[in-house]
Amino acid sequence: MKISSVELVRVDIPLVTPFRTSFGTQTRRDVLLLRIDTADAQGWGECVAMADPLYSSEYTDGAHRIIAGQLLPRLFAAGELTAAEVAEVLAPVRGHRMAKAAVETAFLDAELRAAGLPLSRYLGATRTDVVAGVSVGIHDTIPELLEAVEGYLAAGYARIKLKIEPGWDIAPVAAVRDRFGGEVLLQVDANSAYTRSDARHLAQLDAFDLLLIEQPLDEEDVAGHAVLAAAMGTPICLDESIVSAQAAFEAIRIGACSIVNIKPGRVGGYLEARRVHDVCAAAGIPVWAGGMLETGLGRAANLALAGMGNFTLPSDISGSDRYYRQDLTEPFTPVDGRIPIPTGPGIGVTPIPEILAEFATSRTVVRP
């Protein structure tokens, strides 16, 4: 395919409730969307970078500039190409995986829509729906946390993930276990908030029969995770450290993790995410689908990926109403704790024009 134009759309959309993690609190999402037009189809991609460089070094303004100033000119210069060639064309630009993922996803969506092929089938998904888990942010008090968890369990979510940080870890986890019992699937996510010296403290979490502890140490301290894994009974899952299939291979090789969270934006796109999945599957390491507070565009694509065979743990792909009163697409709603994977061509959804117009803060069309 050859690109005829690209529209960069910035969207400002409020969250239903503030979402607090160890690195900050979000009350709204500043989202960058891409629409790629070709002679045969139109494709959409969502950049998962946040407004500030706190989860990763990427952030929305930076991704916008990189895409407009560096990535799109390379795509335009390449002329006719396939989605499988996009990563190679963009490779001279170092890093910026979230920006690259958005571009590749939009191109892939257009390619698959033109072919009439759903993304799930293209990736090799074997399921028609995905088990929905929910990520619960840090609360001001334990009673508030318990009320939130109770609501999510009542809504049918199959797994609860608690965000933790120093000073908010053992007590809230104990309270949730005590209130809701051992049958609830429970895991925790530290977002790199701890150091190796916290190993003895974190080992107290072993008493609560957690599915996993996600990314307790800094993303660059992969070796430290191997040390921590030997000191804890709770399985270590890596998130921020896994930026590619090669990174996953090396982390698994040294025993730094026994579970991997896959976020397509973090690894550079859905094609690299599929490679991460395959590396983990070959090593017998289960994976699960993470989330970045995506709108329905990113949520739809994540569902397609999470339908692959080695995604054996509940996902972080919640219903639209977990984060947004009004999503940009038709809402995703769990049914009996599961969310159906879109069956239409490409990612299977598009923004609702009037809703996109309501939340858009800027729209820029770029042509070759």
Side-chain angles (χ1 to χ4, degrees):
M1 295 193 310
K2 187 174 182 178
I3 298 172
S4 55
S5 67
V6 177
E7 184 178 25
L8 300 172
V9 186
R10 289 289 282 272
V11 172
D12 181 50
I13 181 168
L15 298 179
V16 172
T17 58
F19 187 67
R20 179 182 166 194
T21 67
S22 63
F23 57 80
T25 301
Q26 291 182 266
T27 58
R28 53 199 316 113
R29 286 282 281 128
D30 174 14
V31 185
L32 173 61
L33 306 176
L34 275 81
R35 192 198 74 220
I36 285 181
D37 290 321
T38 73
D40 302 309
Q42 189 177 83
W44 287 89
E46 176 174 341
C47 182
V48 299
M50 296 181 176
D52 299 305
L54 302 176
Y55 168 81
S56 79
S57 60
E58 293 187 74
Y59 60 104
T60 315
D61 283 342
H64 196 152
R65 292 184 62 183
I66 284 292
I67 290 171
Q70 296 291 331
L71 304 186
L72 292 184
R74 284 172 167 78
L75 277 191
F76 294 155
E80 296 273 351
L81 75 163
T82 67
E85 297 169 319
V86 169
E88 182 178 355
V89 170
L90 303 183
V93 178
R94 300 278 186 173
H96 299 284
R97 291 180 174 87
M98 292 178 180
K100 291 177 179 178
V103 173
E104 183 187 83
T105 301
F107 195 99
L108 179 60
D109 185 37
E111 182 176 277
L112 294 178
R113 287 182 193 271
L117 183 66
L119 176 61
S120 58
R121 195 185 311 165
Y122 175 83
L123 293 174
T126 57
R127 301 184 182 91
T128 59
D129 57 24
V130 172
V131 177
V134 67
S135 182
V136 184
I138 295 168
H139 284 63
D140 290 333
T141 68
I142 286 178
E144 290 175 341
L145 171 67
L146 295 177
E147 181 180 359
V149 171
E150 183 174 33
Y152 294 131
L153 291 174
Y157 284 104
R159 184 269 289 150
I160 300 294
K161 181 174 85 171
L162 303 180
K163 293 288 188 176
I164 63 171
E165 65 181 359
W168 181 268
D169 43 36
I170 309 303
V173 172
V176 170
R177 264 290 177 246
D178 181 63
R179 173 75 172 273
F180 301 106
E183 297 303 311
V184 172
L185 298 179
L186 184 64
Q187 64 193 55
V188 296
D189 182 10
N191 289 115
S192 306
Y194 297 87
T195 67
R196 296 191 195 192
S197 64
D198 295 309
R200 182 174 296 180
H201 175 75
L202 290 173
Q204 295 179 70
L205 292 170
D206 291 347
F208 305 111
D209 191 27
L210 302 178
L211 288 175
L212 57 90
I213 177 172
E214 184 181 352
Q215 196 71 40
L217 309 181
D218 185 79
E219 64 186 81
E220 295 186 5
D221 193 9
V222 178
H225 283 96
V227 173
L228 188 60
M232 291 186 68
T234 303
I236 302 293
C237 170
L238 290 183
D239 173 2
E240 289 94 326
S241 296
I242 306 300
V243 296
S244 65
Q246 181 65 34
F249 175 82
E250 296 296 345
I252 293 167
R253 183 180 62 83
I254 67 168
C257 61
S258 53
I259 300 171
V260 167
N261 169 314
I262 300 181
K263 292 177 180 171
R266 194 191 64 232
V267 302
Y270 288 87
L271 303 187
E272 184 67 12
R274 180 171 61 181
R275 286 187 280 270
V276 175
H277 167 277
D278 293 347
V279 164
C280 293
I285 299 294
V287 302
W288 57 282
M292 293 287 291
L293 312 186
E294 289 94 344
T295 72
L297 289 172
R299 199 173 307 274
N302 286 350
L303 284 165
L305 178 72
M308 296 182 69
N310 195 40
F311 283 87
T312 56
L313 296 174
S315 74
D316 258 0
I317 308 173
S318 307
S320 295
D321 63 357
R322 163 66 183 93
Y323 298 114
Y324 305 113
R325 287 189 176 87
Q326 175 63 65
D327 207 338
L328 298 181
T329 66
E330 292 297 331
F332 288 94
T333 304
V335 178
D336 296 328
R338 310 181 78 92
I339 301 181
I341 298 171
T343 57
I347 64 175
V349 300
T350 55
I352 300 169
E354 56 268 29
I355 301 301
L356 185 62
E358 177 184 351
F359 290 113
T361 57
S362 71
R363 305 182 74 155
T364 306
V365 175
V366 184
R367 293 183 172 85

